Amino acid sequence: HVQLVESGGGSAQVGGSLRLSCEVRGSTYPSWCYGWFRQSTGKQREGIANIDTDGRITYADSVMGRFTLSRDTAKNRLFLQMNSLRPEDTAMYFCAFSSSNCAWSEDAFNYWGPGTQVTVS
């Protein structure tokens, strides 16, 4: 069983930055994918960045060049550095774990954190 807890959300001005953190507990799978998703009010959950066992990182077009995913294995944490924030980045942000290959579909992910709210205005 994998537990994920996000932190670091809050309010930011347009053009500002926030750094999200995801603490991971209980992951002993030999291969995996960690993903960051977000969901705005009235919209479907959107995959925005992921990293696989080989360290390959992929970004959605909507955040490419502005967001950076990183991982601290010693601290069992996943990070999402968000720069040049826009009003359309306002959403609940989730980190998720998949015991399979990376995919943009939320159905591919087995475990989810409760989310952290990001508001940009």
Side-chain angles (χ1 to χ4, degrees), residues 32-34 50-57 71 100-102:
W32 43 260
C33 174
Y34 288 105
N50 57 53
I51 180 171
D52 67 12
T53 316
D54 294 325
R56 284 186 294 257
I57 300 175
R71 181 170 174 254
S100 183
N101 296 325
C102 280

